[in-house]
Amino acid sequence: MPILGTQAQYIDNAEDRQKFSSMCDRIGVVQPAWKELTNMEDVNAFIDQVGFPVLVRPSYVLSGAAMNVCSNQEELVRFLEMAANVSQKHPVVISRFIEGAKEIEMDAVADKGEIVAYAISEHVEYAGVHSGDATIQFPPQKLYVETMRRIKKVAKKIAQELHISGPFNIQFMARDNDIMVIECNLRASRSFPFVSKVLKLNLIELASKIMMGVPYERPTKNEFDLDYVGIKASQFSFSRLQKADPVLGVDMSSTGEVGCLGDDTNAAILKSMLSVGLRIPEKRVLISSGDAKQKAALLKPCRMLADKGYELYATGGSYRYLVENGVPCTLVYWPSEEQQPQAHDMIRQKQIDMVINIPKNLSSRELSNGYQIRRAAIDFNIPLITNERLASAFIQAFTTMSMDDLAIKAWDEY
């Protein structure tokens, strides 16, 4: 039976990790170091080489299910036991996880290995959040021109090597202009309809014509011509999932998504966050801001909140960090601490309007304390953000503009 578009052997070359990896090595495309392993000794030997954190994925899983980022030995052992025992029959792929890297997607259409149209979009969150859960901005707002140039170069090589005819999506990681390829999917991805609508260019129609061998016109417009911004935000149903921990990771948890356009990033972010059910807090914000890097990343947003007259409440480490840096706030205690006021009680009594809770790591104490706070926020319908990049973007948006500043325009008015 004939297959339209990209041929089966090339689809297999993209899907099979070993084949894809050796192809990347051959054409000089960089990937994060990884290995497929079948026993604990090899797992430990590989981690000695690359160090923590690592991304662990069992074989044959869909949509990132059962994938996990492990940042120490205890987490790794606990997770591998959970993911069924590692064996010859069930190898596990472990790759080096790069912290603080931007995740970038390229959606494109190619004809016999030549790229005809493309769209490069950027995740608001750093790599480590599944692309189905991430907040995606298009056109990208904070990418170096050099990064974009390198991405196009790499995509061109991959499209040629896989003889792509039709739609494809490549996920990249970038840190300081170093580009690494996470994976290439020879199909339309979830960001295809979003970038098509923002670009006002039907990529699927173009891909279908190419796959059918029908004449088509080459598009002339690209993302640099746009004077507006699109944001894709994810919708979650944690309130319906009793006891689920509402924290985002490498496996996907969202149950829907929203696309919003704005004249600039702030407008688009604000519209998208309100569309997925967040509310602009009225007065009081509770903060527990993760590790040292995350605390530093949230310092400016917290200062913006304080300048706007918000009352800040923070747990131990976050409280000390904010006060040392001249941001006024009130100390509240974790559920595992005896003293008052208790963060958990304040949420239950609706004395808090928004919770920013960034998990520091996956150790059991951290998980149980943070989990109780996050779960209480969901159960009592209080807006919750668990990612410092998203929290910064949302705070930046609602402290610099108000609801009245949001223009209500139809799609074709942009």
Side-chain angles (χ1 to χ4, degrees):
M1 200 164 126
I3 292 179
L4 295 175
T6 312
Q7 292 306 293
Q9 76 187 77
Y10 296 116
I11 295 173
D12 184 52
N13 286 353
E15 289 293 328
D16 182 309
R17 284 207 171 272
Q18 298 282 4
K19 289 179 187 169
F20 182 69
S21 216
S22 54
M23 178 195 90
C24 285
D25 291 344
R26 195 173 66 246
I27 60 176
V29 168
V30 184
Q31 288 183 295
W34 70 280
K35 259 195 177 149
E36 193 173 52
L37 302 164
T38 51
N39 62 57
M40 270 318 280
E41 289 87 73
D42 293 348
V43 167
N44 290 332
F46 177 68
I47 287 172
D48 287 343
Q49 270 173 26
V50 298
F52 284 106
V54 290
L55 178 65
V56 181
R57 25 183 165 198
S59 306
Y60 294 99
V61 293
L62 273 175
S63 196
M67 276 178 21
N68 228 324
V69 175
C70 299
S71 41
N72 55 45
Q73 192 67 24
E74 174 205 350
E75 278 170 33
L76 180 75
V77 171
R78 191 174 73 219
F79 175 66
L80 288 177
E81 280 167 1
M82 215 165 60
N85 298 327
V86 184
S87 65
Q88 291 301 138
K89 240 169 79 181
H90 303 284
V92 57
V93 171
I94 297 192
S95 46
R96 181 176 165 225
F97 181 73
I98 292 150
E99 291 180 289
K102 281 195 170 164
E103 193 161 331
I104 301 156
E105 308 230 5
M106 178 163 181
D107 292 293
V109 177
D111 186 0
K112 300 182 193 66
E114 190 197 346
I115 295 176
V116 176
Y118 69 89
I120 295 172
S121 51
E122 154 192 39
H123 291 202
V124 171
E125 298 88 349
Y126 279 144
V129 173
H130 190 284
S131 58
D133 290 350
T135 313
I136 292 179
Q137 49 189 344
F138 174 75
Q141 301 300 302
K142 292 182 176 169
L143 284 190
Y144 302 124
V145 175
E146 177 62 15
T147 299
M148 306 266 274
R149 203 176 65 82
R150 291 184 188 187
I151 281 174
K152 285 189 288 198
K153 228 168 156 179
V154 168
K156 200 172 159 183
K157 283 183 182 174
I158 291 175
Q160 278 170 352
E161 200 66 23
L162 291 171
H163 302 271
I164 301 173
S165 286
F168 68 100
N169 161 278
I170 305 180
Q171 291 177 343
F172 295 90
M173 269 196 293
R175 201 167 75 179
D176 309 329
N177 267 338
D178 289 335
I179 304 293
M180 293 191 182
V181 168
I182 303 174
E183 61 183 3
C184 171
N185 297 302
L186 295 195
R187 55 174 167 75
S189 68
R190 81 188 62 253
S191 40
F192 247 79
F194 168 65
V195 293
S196 292
K197 285 197 170 92
V198 179
L199 204 49
K200 300 189 179 181
L201 174 67
N202 191 334
L203 294 174
I204 287 302
E205 188 183 355
L206 182 65
S208 306
K209 283 180 174 170
I210 287 171
M211 290 165 80
M212 302 284 287
V214 175
Y216 62 90
E217 263 183 59
R218 272 175 172 270
T220 50
K221 55 169 26 172
N222 75 26
E223 54 203 84
F224 297 114
D225 306 336
L226 302 182
D227 54 1
Y228 53 89
V229 178
I231 295 277
K232 177 194 84 71
S234 297
Q235 174 84 53
F236 300 91
S237 302
F238 289 120
S239 57
R240 297 184 183 188
L241 301 170
Q242 284 186 334
K243 298 190 173 159
D245 189 350
V247 68
L248 302 187
V250 284
D251 54 345
M252 182 178 149
S253 349
S254 66
T255 49
E257 47 202 6
V258 165
C260 292
L261 297 178
D263 291 321
D264 59 23
T265 306
N266 284 339
I269 283 270
L270 195 50
K271 282 183 189 176
S272 64
M273 295 293 102
L274 296 171
S275 304
V276 293
L278 281 181
R279 298 186 298 279
I280 295 176
E282 281 170 34
K283 199 172 177 191
R284 296 179 168 151
V285 180
L286 171 67
I287 294 150
S288 50
S289 52
D291 64 23
K293 274 187 191 148
Q294 293 161 335
K295 283 183 173 58
L298 279 171
L299 181 60
K300 188 183 167 199
C302 287
R303 196 165 272 143
M304 292 169 95
L305 287 173
D307 292 347
K308 271 282 182 190
Y310 282 95
E311 289 176 24
L312 302 187
Y313 292 82
T315 52
S318 308
Y319 167 76
R320 284 192 297 279
Y321 185 78
L322 289 171
V323 171
E324 279 164 16
N325 285 282
V327 178
C329 66
T330 306
L331 177 63
V332 291
Y333 293 95
W334 287 111
S336 66
E337 298 170 319
E338 298 287 298
Q339 301 99 308
Q340 292 293 339
Q342 272 288 332
H344 202 260
D345 297 341
M346 290 189 76
I347 293 171
R348 266 211 302 257
Q349 291 152 13
K350 299 261 179 145
Q351 294 171 352
I352 298 286
D353 303 318
M354 182 164 89
V355 176
I356 296 171
N357 176 284
I358 318 293
K360 190 183 291 178
N361 54 38
L362 302 176
S363 65
S364 45
R365 177 176 180 269
E366 190 69 34
L367 278 179
S368 101
N369 266 325
Y371 165 72
Q372 289 182 55
I373 301 289
R374 292 190 289 275
R375 195 59 233 180
I378 294 291
D379 292 338
F380 292 94
N381 193 24
I382 288 163
L384 167 74
I385 302 184
T386 59
N387 180 284
E388 80 280 8
R389 300 266 298 172
L390 188 58
S392 299
F394 183 45
I395 291 168
Q396 167 90 28
F398 73 71
T399 53
T400 49
M401 63 191 307
S402 72
M403 292 286 282
D404 304 335
D405 300 330
L406 288 181
I408 296 172
K409 294 206 270 191
W411 174 65
D412 56 6
E413 289 179 78
Y414 281 96

